[in-house]
């Protein structure tokens, strides 16, 4: 996890600190407006707005209101809706990458178990993040610099998958063809779960992953 | 295929006919501006604009220009960008549904062959329509009445898949679980092809479908 403290440009209202959640809250006088913007809190609020009304419901105004900071304060560190989305995007991708890295680096797992765990982690994320995962997975709706970060992230994340898929192919667990093609087909299946899975639906993330694995892994699987 | 002739509301410039491509072109005097809007031609132009510059590049102004009709003429029958998209959307869904129906109704095929052909048809469509398929598969970007049509279409299209998947499960070709869940996992894999497949890429639609089928169908498959 990269937790950073970013200094927004100073203006005549003073410097606003953007604190990562490892940082102590900025001390402020009683009754003074809040000046510290916590990125984790921002991500929580944006997630909540997506849940309530989708992409259209996300706005700086509503986020400021729920964070009980002034719109001007939020604007100084989050200058546009795209930047607001970028904060949630960063949390989502960091989480997904870290989970995948842990699986890839776990020496106790067989190649087949690694595929199983990657599929489970991605379906779990798609299920929980169904309200916004596909907004980001197109790579759109982000500021230019975050779009570049997205491309880098996707390459690194796919790199982890490729390593696991190559081993699983060598092991006979997945069909022997271009590992990148196999990876994209499998991650397409798991990513698209965000489109149709619902918390009140007939299947939870665990069961969806069971069936996905029975579909893609070689027998014995049924 | 439903080919319809829709009469736009008359205005003081006269009635504009929207001709399906089965209709004879509307006769017009030499040098008079074109008054007939052909839905197939509109769909072709919108597809071309998606290809050139994505969603942002699609506009009534540019479509009118390429159809060599005035903007006012096009506006009378296509009152918004959403309506413009709806014309391409209708062609796409009609084509996909008709292809699936033909496969389902072909009594010469085994259940396994039906799955194979459905997967091939959908990957082929995702590949060809990669510039806009996902714009529509979210169900967004359409006028309200077309969004309702989209929901109906999706239900009917999924209904065709369900029938085939149920038979294939009974036959041992797909894992035995909720046919709707199996259908959505498989169609997620095939739909997402639109996100990453490219004409200059290393694999064509046929090869992508081969590997997708080796992944999802039970052995013997490798």
């Amino acid at each position: 996890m990269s937790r950073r403290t970013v200094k927004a440009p100073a203006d005549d209202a003073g410097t606003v600190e953007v604190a990562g959640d490892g940082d102590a809250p900025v001390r402020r006088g009683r009754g003074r407006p809040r000046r510290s913007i916590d990125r984790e809190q921002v991500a929580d609020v944006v997630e909540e707005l997506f849940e309530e009304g989708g992409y259209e419901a996300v706005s700086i105004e509503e986020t400021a209101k729920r964070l009980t900071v002034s719109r001007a304060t939020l604007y100084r560190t989050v200058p546009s809706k795209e930047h607001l989305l970028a904060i949630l995007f960063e949390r989502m991708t960091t989480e997904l990458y870290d989970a995948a890295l842990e699986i890839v680096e776990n020496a106790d797992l067989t190649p087949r178990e690694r595929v199983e765990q990657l599929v489970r982690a991605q379906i779990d994320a798609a299920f929980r993040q169904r309200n916004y995962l596909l907004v980001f997975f197109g790579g759109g709706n982000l500021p230019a610099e975050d779009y570049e970060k997205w491309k880098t992230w996707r390459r690194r994340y796919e790199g982890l998958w490729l390593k696991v898929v190559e081993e699983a192919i060598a092991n006979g667990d997945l069909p022997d063809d271009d590992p990148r093609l196999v990876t994209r087909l499998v991650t397409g299946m798991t990513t698209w779960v965000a489109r149709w899975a619902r918390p009140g639906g007939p299947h939870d993330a665990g069961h969806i992953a069971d069936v996905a694995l029975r579909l893609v892994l070689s027998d014995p699987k049924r």
Side-chain angles (χ1 to χ4, degrees), chain A:
Chain A
M1 291 271 183
S2 68
R3 296 286 177 220
R4 299 157 315 161
T5 299
V6 181
K7 276 214 194 286
D11 63 15
D12 51 13
T15 298
V16 176
E17 281 200 302
V18 182
D21 61 1
D23 299 274
V26 173
R27 190 186 302 263
R28 60 192 165 103
R30 188 184 310 217
R32 284 191 62 192
R34 214 142 71 90
R35 297 220 175 279
S36 162
I37 311 289
D38 181 309
R39 291 175 77 87
E40 283 297 309
Q41 285 178 2
V42 172
D44 287 341
V45 169
V46 176
E47 192 171 45
E48 192 177 287
L49 294 174
F50 263 115
E51 169 82 26
E52 291 171 16
Y55 180 81
E56 298 305 321
V58 178
S59 71
I60 296 199
E61 187 157 10
E62 188 58 28
T63 305
K65 203 171 135 190
R66 298 198 184 189
L67 289 172
T68 62
V69 299
S70 75
R71 215 161 41 162
T73 298
L74 187 58
Y75 265 120
R76 273 196 294 276
T77 51
V78 187
S80 74
K81 175 167 173 173
E82 289 181 334
H83 287 85
L84 200 55
L85 297 172
I87 292 175
L88 181 59
F89 167 73
E90 191 181 344
R91 178 165 79 177
M92 178 185 95
T93 50
T94 303
E95 204 180 297
L96 206 48
Y97 185 85
D98 289 354
L101 187 63
E102 201 175 308
I103 294 162
V104 172
E105 289 183 342
N106 185 344
D108 295 338
L109 301 176
T110 64
R112 189 179 181 99
E113 285 166 342
R114 285 204 186 94
V115 173
E116 284 171 2
Q117 294 204 10
L118 280 182
V119 165
R120 287 189 191 286
Q122 220 196 323
I123 287 181
D124 182 62
F127 196 87
R128 284 184 296 108
Q129 299 165 349
R130 65 197 165 278
N131 297 302
Y132 53 89
L133 187 116
L134 293 174
V135 170
F136 297 129
F137 263 61
N141 303 309
L142 291 172
E145 81 256 27
D146 290 273
Y147 180 60
E148 288 309 309
K149 274 206 257 178
W150 151 252
K151 288 201 292 185
T152 305
W153 177 81
R154 194 179 45 181
R155 194 166 51 242
R156 291 176 60 217
Y157 181 66
E158 192 171 83
L160 294 178
W161 267 85
L162 275 174
K163 211 170 119 68
V164 170
V165 165
E166 276 164 15
E167 288 173 357
I169 288 173
N171 222 36
D173 297 315
L174 288 170
D176 187 7
D177 206 276
D178 176 359
R180 193 174 301 272
L181 174 54
V182 173
T183 296
R184 289 181 175 178
L185 288 166
V186 174
T187 55
M189 176 185 279
T190 58
T191 301
W192 196 251
V193 168
R195 174 63 69 217
W196 52 264
R198 291 290 166 266
H203 308 294
D204 62 17
H207 183 72
I208 295 168
D210 291 343
V211 178
L213 288 165
R214 288 172 69 198
L215 272 165
V216 302
L217 287 172
S218 64
D219 290 330
K221 67 185 180 190
R222 276 152 210 190

